[in-house]
Amino acid sequence: MRNTPVIAFVLLTCIAVFMPLVAEARMGGAGGGGDSGGGDGIGALIFYILMMIPFPWNLVVIAILIVAFYIGKKKAKQRSILNSIPDPTKFSGKDNAVQLPGLDPESFTQKVKTAFVELQQAWAAKDMGKVRRYISDGMYQRLNIQFKMMDMLKQRNELTKIEVKGVYIDKAYQDGVNDVVHVAVHAVITDKFISDEFKQLASGGREEFVEYWSFIRKSGVAERDMYHSVNCPNCGGELPLDGGEVSKCPYCGTITNSGAYDWVLAEITQVDDYKSTNLLQDLSRNLGDRIAGLAEDYEGFSVQHIEDITSNGFLQIETARVLRKPEIMRRFVSNELYDRLTQEFENTAAFLYNRIFLTDVTLIGGLTDGNINKLTVSVKMAYQRVQINNGSLVILDASVSTQTRIVILSRDAKAQQPKASLYAHQCPSCGGTLGDTTDLQCPYCGSTLNSTMYEWIISDVMDVSNYTAYYKNNYNLFTAGIKPSKIDGLYKVRDYAFNNVLIMIAADGKFTDEEIEFANQIAKKWGYNTDKIQGMIEMARTGQLAIKMPEDVKDREKIYKLMEKAAHVDNHLDASEQALLDQVKREYLS
Ligand SMILES: [Zn+2]
Ligand SMILES: [Zn+2]
């Protein structure tokens, strides 16, 4: 008891000196500067403690400080965006508190559950008819391009034992004239990719996962439940189940997926992409308010809507590229871009996508260039290419990889109110329904379809380094824009390397207990908290990760070196590891 004042003094001193010490150490670490001030500071501090605190308490304080310093350092090192990726097998979600007028969480999550099961069934059947009425056109194209590829590869994706474990609202907010809700879906599916012709494309298994579904709706509409009825929300007629590129009622002509009647599914994002692009998404939302004035839309401006037409147009370009049918993209792109792309198609060897999906589509800027308004949108694409040579399959990419492209949309500053959406295959000038042709003249009113007078037209597609230069050169024209350096996700060099090494471990198609052990060893060696990155390991085990790389070339080299090192650590480099290293070198380092 008689020591109480001394202990109190010791503790107070600890608190007083602990904070500045850690702050100083971290600053030194970040800056990497070698000035002697820091050393002197610590020396002075130790001297101060030795002199001011009686023996042996002074030594105790110093010991506590040293331990606290190293714990702090370890904790700081363990910090990573990868920690926020949940282990799906242990996931227990909850609704975040959201406030959005007119959003009834109960009935909303019920709709999501229905949509989830119906969409899996539609996907397995390669037929979107049953769900067409409530998915956006961009979402439709995301699935449609994959169906086209699967058909060419004689592939199907069998899905059985579909189980929705939970649906949780993550974010809900107003986006211009629209409401947007992002919801986490936790589910388990037995997922088998089968190709009748190319057996080596077989993949899949039992998969538990978390992904984020994004829904959009016009603010303040009286909801007609489109999820539990197949009837037209406008006239009540029974909608046909052959819904194609456009979701239009054959009786009254209403477009069912405009968001005017009910929530529309616009995007599906894997949990790792959702977490890593969180910052970019938030920046983009703030951007929307500033760009809205510039881009004053016919039905009001909405970031999610711009992202949807970008997804749609971008995938039309990729479909045109693979099928060698430039007419597919003709009306969505400017004449200059059309000429450039058709040239590009002719100069590259034919290939197919075994996988192609958009992992993130985000509005990143808006500018006025003369009489034209432009929007810039970052599109992150994951893909794996294959070739069919004389009937046999050549796998071009050992693993699914990601690349970022910047899409530029252009429209006249004094644009006219369009009668209908070009991206829904309608003439913006007269509203007439368009057939699948290369014709740029509307058959009804004769107006030019890819005119920037009404609709946003894709005028350029560039990589991030070209966009960085573009942003710099046109900086004064931008009304608002996110710095190009922010386009990369929240991953750090180590996170990219770990993600890619996990894919390398899984590249032989198996993920044995030894390999899980190996993954944990690397995690520990690289300073991760192994408890917190099990989500990543589980995603790797079930084949849900894609190769990711930052834009910075030096960082790419560092990541490649770390991957190489990890591949050699078990003293033998197998063919699948080598193939993946070769792919990374080819795709990102040349
Ligand atoms: Zn109708
Ligand atoms: Zn027309």
Side-chain angles (χ1 to χ4, degrees), residues 11-27 45 65 68-69 72:
L11 286 176
L12 281 173
T13 313
C14 274
I15 293 163
V17 299
F18 175 67
M19 302 310 273
L21 177 68
V22 170
E24 198 175 348
R26 201 178 299 138
M27 263 192 290
L45 181 68
L65 282 177
F69 175 71

Side-chain angles (χ1 to χ4, degrees), residues 167-334:
V167 168
Y168 311 97
I169 295 174
D170 184 57
K171 285 182 191 167
Y173 53 87
Q174 212 165 342
D175 162 26
V177 293
N178 292 321
D179 292 338
V180 175
V181 180
H182 302 293
V183 55
V185 181
H186 177 207
V188 203
I189 289 180
T190 302
D191 170 343
K192 279 199 180 115
F193 261 98
I194 301 156
S195 170
D196 295 325
E197 199 162 334
F198 308 109
K199 305 284 179 223
Q200 63 267 55
L201 292 178
S203 69
R206 186 87 176 142
E207 244 173 54
E208 183 158 359
F209 57 88
V210 178
E211 57 189 23
Y212 286 79
W213 287 40
S214 303
F215 291 82
I216 180 170
R217 185 189 68 175
K218 296 242 152 50
S219 300
V221 297
E223 260 175 54
R224 323 266 170 90
D225 190 347
M226 285 207 300
Y227 290 80
H228 303 101
S229 154
V230 293
N231 291 27
C232 169
N234 185 45
C235 72
E238 194 173 320
L239 294 167
L241 293 179
D242 59 355
E245 301 260 331
V246 188
S247 177
K248 191 175 183 178
C249 170
Y251 315 110
C252 69
T254 199
I255 301 284
T256 66
N257 65 343
S258 65
Y261 301 106
D262 202 348
W263 293 102
V264 171
L265 173 65
E267 219 172 332
I268 299 174
T269 313
Q270 276 199 178
V271 62
D272 55 337
D273 298 314
Y274 187 81
K275 298 287 181 187
S276 82
T277 57
N278 230 328
L279 175 70
L280 188 63
Q281 295 296 340
D282 287 349
L283 289 171
S284 180
R285 266 171 67 191
N286 295 335
L287 201 69
D289 299 337
R290 281 182 287 156
I291 289 181
L294 159 95
E296 194 60 47
D297 221 295
Y298 40 100
E299 291 170 340
F301 183 73
S302 153
V303 174
Q304 190 74 45
H305 173 70
I306 290 297
E307 292 170 358
D308 203 66
I309 60 175
T310 306
S311 308
N312 192 342
F314 182 83
L315 289 172
Q316 306 270 9
I317 293 174
E318 289 313 302
T319 309
R321 184 194 302 278
V322 172
L323 300 183
R324 302 287 162 132
K325 283 185 179 166
E327 62 267 30
I328 292 174
M329 64 180 176
R330 186 66 190 103
R331 62 178 69 127
F332 307 112
V333 300
S334 70

Side-chain angles (χ1 to χ4, degrees), residues 153 224 545:
L153 294 167
R224 323 266 170 90
L545 297 179

Side-chain angles (χ1 to χ4, degrees), residues 427 430 442 444-445 447:
C427 170
C430 72
C442 170
Y444 315 104
C445 71
S447 67

Side-chain angles (χ1 to χ4, degrees), residues 498 501-502 505 511-535 537-538:
F498 189 62
V501 164
L502 284 175
I505 295 172
F511 215 101
T512 60
D513 288 349
E514 280 144 55
E515 286 175 325
I516 291 177
E517 181 51 36
F518 177 57
N520 278 308
Q521 273 172 27
I522 292 200
K524 207 166 167 190
K525 204 170 154 206
W526 289 1
Y528 285 108
N529 178 336
T530 47
D531 290 341
K532 289 190 176 161
I533 50 101
Q534 292 307 309
I537 293 178
E538 179 60 18

Side-chain angles (χ1 to χ4, degrees), residues 76-87:
K77 210 182 165 196
Q78 286 182 341
R79 237 175 267 144
S80 161
I81 185 70
L82 300 191
N83 293 341
S84 66
I85 295 165
D87 180 348

